[in-house]
């Protein structure tokens, strides 16, 4: 190489600086990236500096306590992430392909409602077809699930997603209507012409604000400029249904959360004309190939698994 050309110590091995760059972009910190890579902070800093000198672009800027990619850094991240992920997961992917589905692990993140209502039949079928795969279900709220996904702690997230970040892909697989649930004998159960204002006059029992259901319910009332009152915030649809049955308020939930056990203790009716259907599907990281175990699990998520018997309807449908 001519003496006039610059020489950088990391240029011959682009994988190390690209791996360090991707970890800093994901974690927002040189120190956290160093911990994830089991190297020193100075080593990560040198790799980033060498990469910036080679490319002639500033790749990060500070936003508060976090390092965030610049415009050039975002472009490099989109290009480098699938390359780094492909190299890092190559040994495991190779072993899985060689072994097939006779062994391996599958980690899935989902919230408690999804684990309770949506996944049992899918998990049962997966266990029947692949008994030697170690399946782990991580009970999380949606935000925690995507964090686990980005950190490669889980293979995929199953649930509902409203706003999809740019680094993730969401494949909705089925939609469920929204239902109004009330105590037996509630005046709204048999009201012929139900309006959103009618619902807003009664105290609502909703999950915490950080969850999608609360945000969607709030959005509908705000868009229609209808006042409403939250009587109680509590996590878990089984708890919410129990409190509704006790007469402590009414609620709006996805039809997937209703079971035969609810018949005789609460009244329900469709509110699909006010509240949009909720989709449920699979969330994955863009650019990362699913493992054979993950592909096998996704193949089992078919709409016919979600078919339920007719919901009991105590009042007039607005659909």
């Amino acid at each position: 190489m001519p003496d006039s050309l610059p020489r950088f110590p990391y240029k011959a091995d682009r994988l190390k600086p690209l791996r360090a760059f991707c970890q800093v972009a994901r974690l927002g910190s040189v120190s956290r990236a160093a911990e994830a890579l089991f190297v020193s902070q100075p080593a990560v800093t040198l790799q980033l500096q060498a990469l910036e000198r080679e490319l002639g672009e500033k790749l990060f800027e500070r936003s508060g306590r976090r390092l965030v990619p610049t415009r050039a850094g975002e472009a490099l991240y989109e290009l480098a992430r699938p390359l780094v992920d492909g190299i890092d997961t190559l040994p495991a992917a190779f072993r899985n392909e060689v072994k097939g589905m006779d062994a391996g692990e599958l980690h899935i993140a989902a919230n408690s409602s999804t684990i309770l209502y949506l996944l049992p039949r899918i998990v049962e079928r997966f266990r029947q077809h692949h008994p030697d795969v170690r399946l782990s279900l991580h009970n999380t709220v949606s935000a925690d699930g995507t964090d686990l996904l980005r950190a490669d702690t889980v293979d995929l997230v199953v649930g509902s997603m409203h706003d999809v970040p740019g680094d993730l892909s969401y494949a909705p697989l089925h939609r469920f209507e929204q239902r109004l649930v009330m105590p037996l004998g509630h005046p709204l159960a048999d009201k012929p012409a139900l309006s959103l204002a009618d619902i807003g006059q009664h105290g609502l029992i909703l999950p915490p604000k950080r969850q999608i259901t609360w945000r969607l319910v709030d959005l509908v009332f705000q868009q229609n400029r209808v006042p409403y009152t939250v009587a109680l915030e509590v996590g878990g649809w089984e708890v919410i249904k129990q409190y509704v049955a006790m007469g402590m308020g009414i609620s709006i939930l996805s039809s997937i959360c209703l079971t035969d056990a609810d018949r005789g203790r609460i009244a329900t009716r469709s509110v699909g004309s006010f509240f949009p259907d909720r989709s449920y599907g699979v969330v994955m990281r863009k650019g990362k190939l699913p493992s054979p175990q993950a592909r096998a699990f996704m193949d089992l998520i078919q709409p016919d698994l979600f078919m339920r018997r007719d919901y009991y309807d105590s009042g007039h449908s607005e659909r």
Side-chain angles (χ1 to χ4, degrees):
M1 178 179 294
D3 294 338
S4 59
L5 294 179
R7 300 181 65 181
F8 303 129
Y10 294 102
K11 190 171 182 180
D13 183 5
R14 286 188 172 88
L15 181 59
K16 287 183 179 179
L18 286 177
R19 184 184 285 116
F21 165 78
C22 288
Q23 286 289 359
V24 174
R26 288 170 181 162
L27 302 175
S29 164
V30 170
S31 60
R32 293 177 64 187
E35 292 177 1
L37 295 169
F38 300 100
V39 298
S40 66
Q41 293 186 36
V44 173
T45 300
L46 286 173
Q47 290 166 355
L48 293 179
Q49 291 174 348
L51 194 59
E52 288 183 330
R53 288 197 300 267
E54 180 180 350
L55 299 178
E57 295 283 352
K58 183 180 180 181
L59 300 176
F60 289 100
E61 57 189 4
R62 187 164 294 280
S63 177
R65 300 180 63 181
R66 289 182 59 85
L67 288 175
V68 297
T70 62
R71 185 176 178 182
E74 291 177 352
L76 178 62
Y77 185 56
E78 290 299 317
L79 294 172
R81 183 183 59 205
L83 299 176
V84 173
D85 289 343
I87 291 295
D88 288 345
T89 60
L90 179 61
F94 174 75
R95 288 193 298 270
N96 286 334
E97 290 293 342
V98 171
K99 293 181 180 179
M101 290 299 301
D102 294 334
E105 298 181 354
L106 177 61
H107 294 266
I108 298 172
N111 62 27
S112 57
S113 297
T114 302
I115 292 175
L116 180 61
Y117 302 114
L118 193 69
L119 291 183
R121 295 182 65 184
I122 304 171
V123 170
E124 180 183 27
R125 186 174 293 186
F126 184 83
R127 298 296 304 145
Q128 291 173 350
H129 286 78
H130 311 291
D132 295 326
V133 175
R134 181 180 176 184
L135 178 61
S136 298
L137 299 180
H138 300 252
N139 192 341
T140 67
V141 296
S142 299
D144 294 335
T146 54
D147 289 344
L148 293 176
L149 191 64
R150 292 187 175 100
D152 289 329
T153 303
V154 300
D155 298 285
L156 49 89
V157 178
V158 178
S160 182
M161 179 166 282
H162 183 57
D163 299 314
V164 184
D167 62 326
L168 302 178
S169 64
Y170 173 58
L173 299 171
H174 200 67
R175 307 188 75 87
F176 298 94
E177 69 170 353
Q178 299 291 78
R179 307 282 296 188
L180 179 68
V181 293
M182 306 149 284
L184 294 176
H186 194 276
L188 295 186
D190 296 313
K191 185 175 176 61
L194 184 65
S195 68
L196 193 61
D198 293 329
I199 300 173
Q201 291 176 2
H202 298 269
L204 293 174
I205 303 176
L206 296 178
K209 289 184 179 180
R210 70 179 184 274
Q211 296 191 14
I212 295 175
T213 298
W214 197 100
R215 300 200 302 270
L216 290 179
V217 170
D218 178 72
L219 179 63
V220 169
F221 278 106
Q222 295 290 346
Q223 287 180 336
N224 289 275
R225 299 183 179 180
V226 174
Y228 72 101
T229 301
V230 177
L232 179 64
E233 284 188 22
V234 61
W237 287 115
E238 286 302 313
V239 177
I240 289 176
K241 290 186 293 184
Q242 178 62 31
Y243 284 179
V244 168
M246 294 169 60
M248 300 180 67
I250 63 176
S251 189
I252 298 162
L253 52 77
S254 174
S255 60
I256 187 64
C257 300
L258 293 171
T259 68
D260 289 339
D262 298 320
R263 189 187 302 271
R265 67 167 182 154
I266 56 175
T268 83
R269 66 185 297 176
S270 172
V271 286
S273 57
F274 309 125
F275 299 92
D277 292 350
R278 285 279 300 278
S279 68
Y280 283 78
V282 174
V283 184
M284 298 190 65
R285 275 176 45 203
K286 286 183 177 177
K288 182 178 180 180
L289 293 176
S291 67
Q293 292 86 356
R295 291 199 303 267
F297 189 88
M298 289 187 289
D299 288 343
L300 293 177
I301 306 179
Q302 301 298 329
D304 65 295
L305 284 176
F306 305 132
M307 298 299 291
R308 307 175 67 91
R309 288 182 289 275
D310 292 338
Y311 296 105
Y312 51 97
D313 201 331
S314 300
H316 298 268
S317 173
E318 295 294 320
R319 299 202 66 179

